[in-house]
């Protein structure tokens, strides 16, 4: 068992503990408690490299003080300092509970010594650059040295890199930071609890990496998300968010949608957490990767300390097949030949290819090698223009269920596996070092395999990202997790009417006691006389039975329907009141009919029975009440509560609001055949307009989508749980007319002639022109498209939508697209519109070749706005079954509007055939 830090007082603070704390407080805590880690291969390599470098740097330092007094690894640094040695190597400085082992101490010159200067602390660092941690370690040693020699050194030195470069460090500027760090380490030692766990960049090489990773995964710690900074995590902690799962519930789709259309931007880590929780790939914005016939995947291995690129891997995929190429450098002198071979392979790819790579390492490689070794300017220019960083297409656009967007994590989430489970970039550096030391061919083969598999992983990721691109709706790439858009994420219903989901069950009971009706009926009536009297008045009104307007005696039965006997006796007398609404000249009135009947019993078979006409009567309400409930809901946009109130106030019919949904459901069942007939007419017709919108639903369903298909005289709405195209394709199966729609990619998969709404295109152009008033390319594109469209609109205004007159514009359209194909815009926005125009070239002017096909989607937009106006009132109040019934009835209402028929009179007529009803009206 590892003792707690607070149980062992820190007697000596060493430079090793100080350096560990700079990397990670958790690492320092584990060292304080005596924990033993598992040094990684890379860490061992670093230690060997540091030892070798110290030995070489010592020899270089000895040459600078040749002939002077040198002390190596003194047992007492104080004595060596008193002896005024010119150079002290590997001194261990100990004073007042602090201990530090420096690489060297340089003695002052005679002149500096006369001026009171002391020894200069020195560190040997094999790296080319000096980090902040290196400076602080030097400053910590200087703080101990200052106490030993009774004077603080002003300057320290760091000898680093292959050329033993000397960097001077101003030590007084670091004094306060060192003192703060020392105080934090001592406080950690005295603390009874460990510091908060937080993974960071150092974890990949730390000896405690497995222990901390397992603890973080068990805690679901926020630091698992690599993109979150310590400042971000601290802010989330202040809000009470400590786990990735908790963080995932903070994602708001609306917040991301405001920036989803803008390139670049900051990634939303809450959506990353949601992708992890739901194990889905979320698409915030469609990634766009160029695609050509030849695709090349590049991966490079190098040594960061020396700057050597020793292995270039290139997987090429074209019409001839797939092949992998690799170039290996045994030493730095071989690097130019490797680069030249790579350029030769790039030249053979031709003029049309895409060079994919992952991350900025290869980008820096291409730039460095061009500056270092040059090459054919034409080949270099092609490589620069055709290289694509796949990671940039993922950033802030596609959210895979991973903690970090490195190639290993993303490809792993898509099912790709490396033959070496522990293969990483750091491990590759270790393998290269082993090969340089031993020349073992097996180690070289391991590196070549690792590089080839990285190219294959890049191919898998690139293919998946292309599948999520703009040419098709997001769909599963075939491997890995399912795919969803942010539109499909259920929105939290804050401050909305309807049923509330409570975090604690007790909240439901407390909230119920605050309902308006509950308080009036149970609480306020006991203290407020006015409320008490109003409740009595309500009870008196509720108890009144409606006055009967007429009495009908149902026809008696004379013969037993079972055995045919005429010997019948009276068994029981029954009566039933049916409340109905009847129209009259200038209005509607209530009509209550009492039906009386006698139940007979057969003397032969002893069965009892009632007349069939009595059994066919409605249970309580006549068809007029059903018609009113449907009419008020669909035409007058009333909620169930409002429909019930109007029936009570206008006709004295007491009806519960829940009963309104039941009446609507019965009416929908009656008109289901009518609805199917309208849909069949649309499928067999020459023209359909299509559009869709979102709807909020009650209960666990959360959200869904309402689609509308319309023609000039018919409109049909239907519900779909998602925005995918499966239900649309099934609904429109067999349609061979012209489909008019917006640019949503689901419609592209329908096999029929299509016309894209040009008004949508004009709106998009107008919005972008207003946002980018100085984009001359976009202005030129918009002006040319407008010049093409204006004469067409003039012809339509004069002659209508007739192919005979519109066909003359087809030649202008062909000339326009020929000119647009040859155009080369510098503006990215204009280039995007050019791509869009050419992509939908065959679907933008279909109306020129048909009679009666509009160039806009106004029919569907008008129908969808009708639903949207009702959604404002009823959003979140429908169940999935309720929305289906409502849309069926709304289809009848909108169709009667298109045909200038009275929806109310159609309902009252009891007919189910709209064509027959229209004929009778004439």
């Amino acid at each position: 068992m590892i003792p707690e830090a607070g149980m062992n007082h820190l007697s000596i603070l060493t430079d090793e503990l100080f350096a560990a704390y700079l990397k990670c407080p958790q690492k320092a805590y584990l060292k304080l408690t005596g924990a033993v880690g598992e040094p990684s291969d890379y860490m061992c390599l670093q230690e060997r490299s540091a030892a070798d470098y110290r030995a070489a740097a010592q020899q270089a330092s000895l040459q600078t003080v040749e002939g002077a007094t040198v002390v190596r690894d003194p047992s007492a640094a104080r004595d060596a300092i008193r002896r005024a040695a010119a150079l002290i190597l590997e001194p261990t400085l100990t004073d007042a509970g602090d201990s530090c082992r420096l690489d060297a101490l340089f003695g002052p010159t005679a002149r500096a010594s006369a001026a009171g200067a002391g020894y200069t602390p020195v560190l040997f660092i094999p790296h080319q650059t000096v980090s902040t941690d290196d400076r602080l370690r030097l400053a910590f040693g200087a703080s101990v040295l200052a106490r030993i020699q009774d004077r603080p050194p002003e300057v320290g030195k760091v000898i680093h890199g292959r050329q033993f470069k000397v960097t001077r460090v101003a030590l007084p500027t670091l004094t306060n930071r060192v003192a703060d760090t020392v105080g934090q380490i001592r406080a950690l030692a005295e603390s009874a609890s460990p510091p908060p766990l937080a993974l960071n960049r150092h974890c990949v090489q730390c000896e405690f990496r497995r222990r901390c990773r397992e603890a973080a995964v068990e805690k679901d710690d926020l630091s698992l998300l690599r993109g979150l900074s310590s400042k971000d995590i601290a802010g989330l902690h202040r809000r009470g968010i400590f786990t990735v799962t908790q963080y995932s519930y903070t994602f708001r789709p609306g917040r991301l949608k405001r920036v989803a259309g803008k390139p670049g931007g900051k990634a939303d880590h809450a959506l990353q957490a949601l992708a992890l929780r739901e194990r889905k790939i979320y698409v915030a914005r469609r990634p766009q990767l160029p695609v050509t016939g030849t695709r090349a995947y590049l991966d490079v291995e190098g040594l960061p300390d020396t700057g050597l690129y020793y292995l270039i891997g290139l997987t090429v995929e074209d019409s001839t097949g797939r092949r992998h190429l690799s170039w290996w450098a045994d030493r730095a002198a071989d690097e130019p030949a490797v680069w030249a071979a790579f350029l030769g392979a790039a030249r053979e790819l031709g003029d049309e290819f895409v060079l994919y790579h992952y991350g900025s390492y290869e980008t820096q490689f291409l730039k460095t090698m061009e500056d270092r070794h040059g090459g054919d300017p034409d080949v270099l220019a092609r490589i620069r223009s055709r290289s694509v960083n796949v990671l940039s297409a993922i950033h802030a656009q596609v959210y895979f269920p991973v903690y970090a967007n490195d190639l290993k994590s993303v490809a792993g989430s898509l099912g790709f596996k490396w033959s070496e489970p522990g293969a990483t970039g750091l491990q590759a550096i270790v393998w290269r070092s082993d090969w340089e030391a031993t020349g073992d061919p097996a180690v070289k083969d391991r590196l070549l395999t690792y590089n080839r598999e990285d190219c294959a992983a890049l191919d898998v990721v690139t293919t998946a990202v292309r599948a999520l691109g703009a040419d098709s709706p997001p769909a599963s790439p075939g491997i890995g997790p399912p795919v969803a858009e942010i539109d499909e994420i259920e929105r939290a219903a804050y401050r909305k009417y309807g049923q509330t989901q409570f975090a604690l069950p007790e909240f439901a009971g407390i909230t119920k006691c605050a309902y308006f009706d509950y308080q009036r009926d149970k609480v306020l009536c006991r203290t407020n006389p006015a409320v008490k009297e109003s409740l009595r008045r309500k009870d008196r009104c509720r108890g009144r039975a409606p006055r009967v307007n007429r009495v009908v005696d149902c026809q008696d039965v004379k013969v037993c329907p079972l055995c045919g006997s005429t010997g019948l006796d009276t068994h029981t007398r029954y009566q039933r009141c049916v409340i109905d609404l009847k129209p009259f000249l200038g209005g509607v009135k209530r009509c209550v009919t009492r039906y009386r009947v006698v139940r007979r019993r057969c003397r032969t078979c002893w069965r009892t029975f009632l007349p069939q006409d009595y059994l066919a009567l409605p249970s309580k309400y006549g068809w007029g009440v059903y018609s009113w409930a449907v009419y008020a809901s669909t035409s007058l946009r009333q909620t169930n509560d409002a429909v019930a109130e109007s029936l009570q106030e206008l006709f004295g019919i007491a009806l519960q609001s829940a009963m309104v949904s039941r009446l609507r459901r019965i009416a929908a069942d009656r008109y289901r055949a009518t609805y199917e007939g309208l849909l069949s007419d649309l499928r067999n017709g020459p023209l359909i307009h299509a559009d869709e919108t979102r709807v909020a639903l009650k209960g666990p369903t959360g959200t869904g989508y309402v689609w509308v298909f319309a023609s000039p005289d018919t409109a049909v709405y239907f519900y779909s749980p998602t925005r995918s195209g499966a239900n649309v394709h099934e609904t429109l199966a067999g349609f061979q007319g012209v489909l008019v729609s917006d640019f949503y990619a689901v419609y592209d998969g329908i096999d029929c002639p299509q016309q894209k709404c040009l008004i949508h295109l004009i709106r998009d152009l107008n919005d972008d022109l207003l946002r980018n008033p100085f984009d001359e390319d976009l202005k030129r594109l918009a002006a040319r498209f407008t010049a093409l469209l204006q004469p067409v609109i003039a012809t339509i205004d004069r002659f209508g939508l007739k192919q005979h007159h519109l066909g003359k514009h087809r030649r202008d359209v062909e000339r326009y697209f020929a000119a647009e194909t040859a155009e080369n815009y510098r503006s990215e926005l204009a280039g995007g519109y050019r791509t869009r125009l050419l992509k939908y070239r065959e679907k933008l002017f279909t109306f020129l070749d048909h009679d009666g096909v509009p160039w806009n989607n106004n029919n569907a937009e008008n129908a969808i706005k009708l639903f949207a106006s009702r959604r404002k009132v009823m959003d979140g109040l429908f169940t999935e079954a309720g929305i289906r019934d409502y849309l069926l009835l709304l289809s009848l209402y909108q169709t009667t509007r298109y045909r200038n028929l009275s929806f109310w009179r159609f309902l009252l007529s009891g007919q189910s055939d709209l064509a027959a009803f229209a004929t009778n009206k004439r």
Side-chain angles (χ1 to χ4, degrees):
M1 178 178 177
I2 298 174
E4 293 187 1
M7 298 172 62
N8 292 322
H9 180 73
L10 177 63
S11 57
I12 298 294
L13 196 162
T14 65
D15 58 327
E16 180 185 4
L17 187 59
F18 184 86
Y21 188 85
L22 292 177
K23 295 296 184 184
C24 174
Q26 184 73 19
K27 180 175 181 177
Y29 163 77
L30 291 171
K31 286 184 173 293
L32 275 169
T33 57
V36 178
E38 305 172 39
S40 64
D41 293 343
Y42 181 77
M43 185 177 177
C44 295
L45 173 64
Q46 292 292 92
E47 291 176 353
R48 292 196 302 269
S49 299
D52 294 342
Y53 186 81
R54 277 197 301 271
Q58 286 178 5
Q59 294 300 320
S61 300
L62 287 172
Q63 295 175 7
T64 64
V65 294
E66 189 173 355
T69 305
V70 176
V71 178
R72 185 185 297 271
D73 192 13
S75 57
R78 291 179 186 271
D79 294 339
I81 291 174
R82 290 194 189 100
R83 290 164 53 189
L87 175 62
I88 305 174
L89 295 175
E90 299 182 357
T92 300
L93 309 176
T94 303
D95 182 82
D98 294 336
S99 176
C100 176
R101 184 181 180 89
L102 292 170
D103 291 324
L105 290 175
F106 279 113
T109 62
R111 183 176 179 182
S113 179
Y119 277 82
T120 300
V122 181
L123 285 183
F124 299 149
I125 305 297
H127 308 301
Q128 292 296 109
T129 58
V130 180
S131 67
T132 302
D133 285 2
D134 295 332
R135 296 172 187 270
L136 289 172
R137 286 173 50 214
L138 181 63
F140 174 68
S143 68
V144 182
L145 176 62
R147 282 171 269 166
I148 292 177
Q149 67 180 5
D150 296 328
R151 62 177 68 91
E154 295 295 324
V155 175
K157 293 182 179 180
V158 178
I159 298 177
H160 59 97
R162 289 170 292 174
Q163 304 301 324
F164 302 113
K165 181 180 178 181
V166 178
T167 297
R168 295 167 61 87
V169 178
L171 297 173
T173 61
L174 302 172
T175 302
N176 291 338
R177 186 166 177 184
V178 169
D180 290 342
T181 304
V182 170
Q184 292 167 9
I185 296 173
R186 295 195 181 278
L188 177 63
E190 298 296 332
S191 174
S193 58
L197 177 65
L199 304 183
N200 58 36
R201 294 182 181 273
H202 176 67
C203 292
V204 294
Q205 52 184 290
C206 177
E207 64 264 40
F208 303 113
R209 61 195 179 281
R210 297 184 190 278
R211 178 199 301 255
C212 293
R213 179 77 180 186
E214 290 172 0
V217 171
E218 182 180 356
K219 292 173 56 180
D220 195 22
D221 193 78
L222 284 169
S223 62
L224 288 165
L225 290 173
R226 191 176 298 177
L228 284 179
S229 66
S230 57
K231 183 178 179 181
D232 294 333
I233 293 175
L236 292 171
H237 286 177
R238 287 193 294 270
R239 294 166 55 190
I241 299 170
F242 298 94
T243 68
V244 175
T245 301
Q246 288 175 329
Y247 189 31
S248 69
Y249 287 100
T250 67
F251 174 68
R252 299 290 174 265
R255 178 182 62 200
L256 185 60
K257 285 183 69 176
R258 288 193 293 271
V259 298
K262 303 176 182 178
K266 186 177 180 182
D268 194 313
H269 300 296
L271 180 54
Q272 191 80 56
L274 181 63
L276 280 162
R277 175 167 65 88
E278 297 192 349
R279 307 305 302 170
K280 289 182 179 180
I281 301 173
Y282 277 109
V283 180
R285 185 163 66 94
R286 303 285 181 82
Q288 295 185 5
L289 288 177
V291 181
T292 61
T294 301
R295 298 177 293 280
Y297 303 94
L298 172 67
D299 186 72
V300 179
E301 309 299 335
L303 300 176
D305 286 345
T306 62
L308 169 66
Y309 295 105
Y310 65 86
L311 176 58
I312 304 174
L314 189 70
T315 296
V316 180
E317 188 175 357
D318 55 20
S319 58
T320 63
R322 180 188 182 91
R323 61 190 183 277
H324 181 75
L325 309 172
S326 61
W327 299 273
W328 174 274
D330 287 343
R331 57 189 67 85
D334 297 336
E335 190 181 72
V338 167
W339 173 247
F342 168 71
L343 293 182
R347 184 185 297 108
E348 295 176 1
L349 295 178
D351 295 332
E352 294 297 329
F353 69 92
V354 181
L355 182 64
Y356 297 110
H357 60 86
Y358 200 89
S360 60
Y361 187 77
E362 280 74 18
T363 303
Q364 185 61 39
F365 157 77
L366 294 172
K367 183 178 184 303
T368 300
M369 295 295 274
E370 181 179 348
D371 295 340
R372 189 181 293 174
H373 304 299
D376 186 341
D378 292 337
V379 177
L380 293 173
R382 286 206 300 272
I383 291 175
R384 283 196 303 271
S385 62
R386 288 166 174 76
S387 62
V388 176
N389 185 356
V390 178
L391 179 58
S392 65
I394 294 174
H395 174 74
Q397 300 180 67
V398 181
Y399 293 81
F400 289 90
V402 293
Y403 292 113
N405 277 337
D406 58 282
L407 181 61
K408 301 294 184 299
S409 300
V410 175
S413 72
L414 295 172
F416 187 86
K417 293 183 180 180
W418 278 258
S419 57
E420 289 275 354
T424 63
L426 294 182
Q427 188 62 45
I429 296 174
V430 176
W431 290 336
R432 171 69 186 194
S433 177
D434 292 344
W435 178 84
E436 290 178 348
T438 64
D440 186 353
V443 177
K444 180 178 178 180
D445 289 342
R446 183 179 291 181
L447 275 167
L448 292 172
T449 300
Y450 170 66
N451 178 258
R452 183 176 64 253
E453 289 176 347
D454 272 359
C455 291
L458 175 59
D459 184 5
V460 170
V461 173
T462 304
T463 302
V465 173
R466 283 203 306 266
L468 304 174
D471 291 340
S472 61
S476 176
I479 53 176
V483 179
E485 285 190 289
I486 58 174
D487 285 340
E488 299 177 24
I489 299 174
E490 181 179 351
R491 297 170 182 263
Y494 294 109
R495 296 181 296 277
K496 288 187 177 181
Y497 293 110
Q499 188 174 3
T500 304
Q501 298 291 331
F502 292 102
L504 297 177
E506 294 78 7
F507 285 172
I510 295 173
T511 305
K512 180 181 177 181
C513 295
Y515 287 165
F516 177 81
D517 289 341
Y518 181 91
Q519 284 201 119
R520 287 180 63 85
D521 295 349
K522 301 293 184 181
V523 179
L524 296 181
C525 63
R526 301 175 184 177
T527 56
N528 192 314
V531 173
K532 189 174 183 178
E533 179 58 30
S534 69
L535 293 177
R536 289 175 179 171
R537 190 179 303 113
K538 178 180 177 181
D539 291 339
R540 287 196 297 269
C541 294
R542 184 184 298 163
R544 295 176 183 172
R547 183 174 62 87
V548 176
N549 299 101
R550 63 180 183 139
V551 177
V552 176
D553 290 317
C554 295
Q555 185 176 3
D556 199 3
V557 180
K558 304 299 184 183
V559 178
C560 175
L562 299 176
C563 64
S565 172
T566 57
L568 305 177
D569 295 330
T570 300
H571 182 267
T572 315
R573 296 185 182 275
Y574 290 104
Q575 62 181 13
R576 176 188 301 175
C577 287
V578 176
I579 305 172
D580 204 354
L581 295 177
K582 298 293 183 181
F584 66 93
L585 187 61
V588 182
K589 64 180 179 179
R590 183 187 69 190
C591 178
V592 180
T593 304
R594 177 178 292 156
Y595 293 90
R596 298 188 300 198
V597 69
V598 177
R599 177 184 287 273
R600 298 292 184 180
R601 182 171 59 192
C602 177
R603 298 174 189 166
T604 303
C605 62
W606 293 94
R607 301 288 184 88
T608 63
F609 44 86
L610 289 168
Q612 288 300 319
D613 57 345
Y614 182 80
L615 295 175
L617 292 174
S619 59
K620 187 173 183 180
Y621 301 106
W623 183 246
V625 177
Y626 287 83
S627 300
W628 180 271
V630 172
Y631 177 76
S633 298
T634 55
S635 181
L636 303 182
R637 314 178 193 181
Q638 292 183 353
T639 63
N640 287 0
D641 289 337
V643 173
E645 182 178 348
S646 65
L647 286 170
Q648 175 67 48
E649 291 292 331
L650 299 178
F651 308 110
I653 300 176
L655 199 68
Q656 297 294 326
S657 60
M659 188 63 184
V660 178
S661 296
R662 183 183 175 189
L663 297 180
R664 218 169 27 235
R665 182 168 62 253
I666 295 172
D669 291 339
R670 178 169 185 170
Y671 289 114
R672 206 162 299 279
T674 308
Y675 175 85
E676 294 296 336
L678 295 178
L679 187 56
S680 177
D681 291 344
L682 284 176
R683 287 197 202 98
N684 297 324
L687 176 68
I688 288 181
H689 294 257
D691 205 353
E692 81 289 333
T693 189
R694 184 172 177 161
V695 62
L697 300 179
K698 185 190 299 184
T701 305
T703 58
Y705 288 87
V706 170
W707 302 74
V708 63
F709 297 132
S711 68
D713 66 344
T714 303
V716 172
Y717 300 84
F718 79 94
Y719 167 81
S720 174
T722 67
R723 205 179 175 213
S724 66
N727 291 330
V728 179
H729 292 181
E730 181 181 351
T731 304
L732 294 184
F735 175 66
Q736 295 300 318
V738 179
L739 177 65
V740 183
S741 68
D742 56 23
F743 290 86
Y744 183 34
V746 159
Y747 302 115
D748 296 342
I750 300 175
D751 186 18
C752 67
Q754 295 194 27
Q755 170 64 48
K756 295 300 179 182
C757 178
L758 298 186
I759 283 295
H760 274 79
L761 183 59
I762 293 294
R763 289 172 188 160
D764 292 345
L765 275 170
N766 183 64
D767 292 342
D768 282 325
L769 283 170
L770 293 175
R771 284 194 293 262
N772 303 274
F774 303 108
D775 192 332
E776 296 300 327
D777 283 354
L778 185 61
K779 287 182 180 179
R780 187 166 76 255
L781 180 145
R784 291 170 60 181
F785 185 76
T786 303
L788 171 68
L789 195 57
Q790 276 182 317
V792 179
I793 303 302
T795 300
I796 294 173
D797 285 346
R798 183 177 181 185
F799 298 107
L801 295 168
K802 295 183 179 180
Q803 187 272 337
H804 174 72
H805 296 286
L806 291 174
K808 64 183 179 182
H809 296 288
R810 174 55 68 182
R811 186 175 300 173
D812 297 334
V813 172
E814 296 300 327
R815 281 198 295 263
Y816 168 78
F817 279 112
E820 201 65 40
T821 302
E823 188 64 68
N824 186 20
Y825 295 109
R826 293 179 299 172
S827 163
E828 180 180 349
L829 195 57
Y833 273 105
R834 173 183 175 275
T835 302
R836 183 177 176 184
L837 288 168
L838 295 179
K839 174 183 177 182
Y840 291 104
R841 175 175 182 169
E842 303 301 327
K843 299 178 181 180
L844 291 177
F845 292 92
T846 306
F847 69 95
L848 299 179
D849 303 322
H850 297 268
D851 286 338
V853 175
W855 52 278
N856 53 64
N857 199 24
N858 285 349
N859 265 6
E861 288 191 353
N862 176 268
I864 212 68
K865 285 178 181 178
L866 181 83
F867 171 76
S869 66
R870 279 115 181 105
R871 183 180 58 189
K872 292 179 181 179
V873 180
M874 304 179 184
D875 212 20
L877 300 180
F878 283 117
T879 62
E880 190 167 312
I883 190 67
R884 294 182 190 277
D885 293 338
Y886 186 83
L887 293 177
L888 184 150
L889 298 170
L890 192 65
S891 302
L892 301 181
Y893 170 66
Q894 181 70 341
T895 301
T896 56
R897 290 182 70 225
Y898 281 170
R899 301 182 184 184
N900 288 321
L901 298 174
S902 170
F903 182 57
W904 168 241
R905 295 193 180 279
F906 170 69
L907 293 173
L908 285 178
S909 70
Q911 297 185 51
S912 58
D913 190 336
L914 277 170
F917 173 74
T919 302
N920 294 340
K921 292 297 294 181
R922 285 197 294 268

